[in-house]
Amino acid sequence: MSSDDALKRIKNKPLPRHIAVIMDGNGRWAKKRGLPRLFGHRAGTQSVREAVKVCGELGIEVLTLYAFSTENWVRPKTEVNALMGLLSKMLSSEISELDKNNVRLMTVGRTHELPPKVQDDLRKGIEKLKHNTGLTLNLALNYGGRQEIVDAIKKIQKLGIKNIDEKNFSDYLYTAGLPDPDLMIRTSGEMRLSNFLLYQLAYAELYVTETLWPDFRREHLYKAVEEYQKRERRFGGT
Ligand code: IPE
Ligand code: IPE
Ligand code: MG
């Protein structure tokens, strides 16, 4: 069965508007090869490129990628620095390609706590791509779901807003204005959320694959979307 067949089938059925991905398994990918963890992160950047490209082609509205969690700071300093360096490098090398593909960029998370260089690269990237109308690439950086909910409550308190309900609460989350994810993919087999989009994933379809993030390619994404299209979404109904 070729990738093209899968694509034809996918295009004939309703697509998720928003796909969220926990890109996991970089370390294990490197370990399997007897390489330092950084090599796994580096290899994972190719999977990012491909996921963005394929989502753009499919006409997905939003792709959220969990790139760094609020808990990831506990990793060795060398690894954290390497991840921040990779992010900066990607932001400078990929922006023109993203622009060509009509991709818009945004972030969720406490980005003001990231290294100033990364913040600067993010600002530049977001500015350069802000007029694009295709895929919204949403990077979750220094992101934590609980922190996001706490930040939302602080915002609401500060503004003195009294009439909060489930609908307008979303307006105070980092993801304000975005549809909730329809499909959440986690690579490398772990069956947990790891503090990712706790509020927004309430009714997302979950898809966990054993494939490690650096091995995740077009065909794996197609498979995840096909699996999503087979699910029956009930939202509490019958
Ligand atoms: C995901 O891969 C990348 C980040 C969390 C930044 P990991 O680095 O968590 O890889 P494993 O889970 O150790 O294999
Ligand atoms: C989740 O992966 C965070 C990112 C992918 C950025 P982790 O590897 O940090 O999660 P745990 O430690 O397995 O829960
Ligand atoms: Mg991990």
Side-chain angles (χ1 to χ4, degrees):
M1 191 172 41
S2 81
S3 237
D4 284 349
D5 294 334
L7 182 60
K8 258 182 232 144
R9 282 199 305 272
I10 288 169
K11 290 256 188 186
N12 274 328
K13 287 187 184 156
L15 283 159
R17 291 179 66 190
H18 182 173
I19 299 178
V21 186
I22 303 180
M23 309 183 287
D24 199 14
N26 294 352
R28 276 162 280 175
W29 184 93
K31 193 171 178 203
K32 270 198 344 199
R33 288 164 177 76
L35 296 168
R37 294 175 57 85
L38 169 61
F39 284 72
H41 297 312
R42 223 182 262 160
T45 60
Q46 188 50 39
S47 311
V48 170
R49 265 181 221 109
E50 190 150 329
V52 172
K53 189 157 179 270
V54 173
C55 284
E57 288 170 12
L58 287 176
I60 304 294
E61 288 171 49
V62 188
L63 173 65
T64 297
L65 298 178
Y66 202 6
F68 195 85
S69 79
T70 45
E71 287 71 36
N72 287 146
W73 295 107
V74 302
R75 295 187 179 201
K77 211 170 157 50
T78 48
E79 181 170 348
V80 171
N81 289 343
L83 281 166
M84 294 300 153
L86 259 186
L87 185 59
S88 272
K89 208 171 127 198
M90 282 284 276
L91 284 166
S92 32
S93 64
E94 300 301 316
I95 293 298
S96 47
E97 183 67 19
L98 292 175
D99 199 23
K100 235 185 276 164
N101 292 325
N102 197 22
V103 175
R104 231 162 50 98
L105 182 64
M106 65 173 275
T107 60
V108 288
R110 292 181 176 167
T111 51
H112 58 279
E113 294 168 357
L114 293 170
K117 165 89 172 80
V118 174
Q119 290 187 48
D120 203 44
D121 292 333
L122 283 169
R123 258 192 303 271
K124 281 183 200 146
I126 291 167
E127 177 63 26
K128 175 108 201 277
L129 304 175
K130 74 177 178 193
H131 298 298
N132 289 338
T133 54
L135 175 73
T136 295
L137 172 60
N138 180 29
L139 298 178
L141 290 167
N142 192 24
Y143 175 87
R146 288 182 171 178
Q147 290 82 346
E148 177 181 35
I149 291 168
V150 170
D151 284 349
I153 292 167
K154 284 185 181 163
K155 233 181 272 171
I156 290 163
Q157 283 175 334
K158 205 168 157 199
L159 293 166
I161 293 158
K162 292 279 181 287
N163 57 333
I164 284 292
D165 57 32
E166 306 88 65
K167 277 231 165 64
N168 65 16
F169 184 73
S170 305
D171 297 342
Y172 304 94
L173 293 169
Y174 306 146
T175 49
L178 298 182
D180 284 340
D182 305 289
L183 169 63
M184 197 287 283
I185 300 171
R186 182 164 188 155
T187 57
S188 88
E190 240 64 71
M191 306 253 188
R192 54 175 172 258
L193 289 179
S194 301
N195 208 11
F196 189 43
L197 301 175
L198 297 181
Y199 191 86
Q200 298 88 335
L201 289 176
Y203 270 102
E205 294 297 327
L206 309 180
Y207 178 84
V208 176
T209 171
E210 290 295 326
T211 305
L212 304 175
W213 178 250
D215 293 325
F216 195 84
R217 288 290 171 272
R218 174 183 294 273
E219 59 270 24
H220 301 103
L221 188 52
Y222 285 171
K223 197 163 166 238
V225 173
E226 278 208 280
E227 175 64 31
Y228 164 85
Q229 291 176 325
K230 283 185 205 146
R231 304 270 179 95
E232 183 192 359
R233 302 187 81 188
R234 291 194 184 172
F235 302 102
T238 53

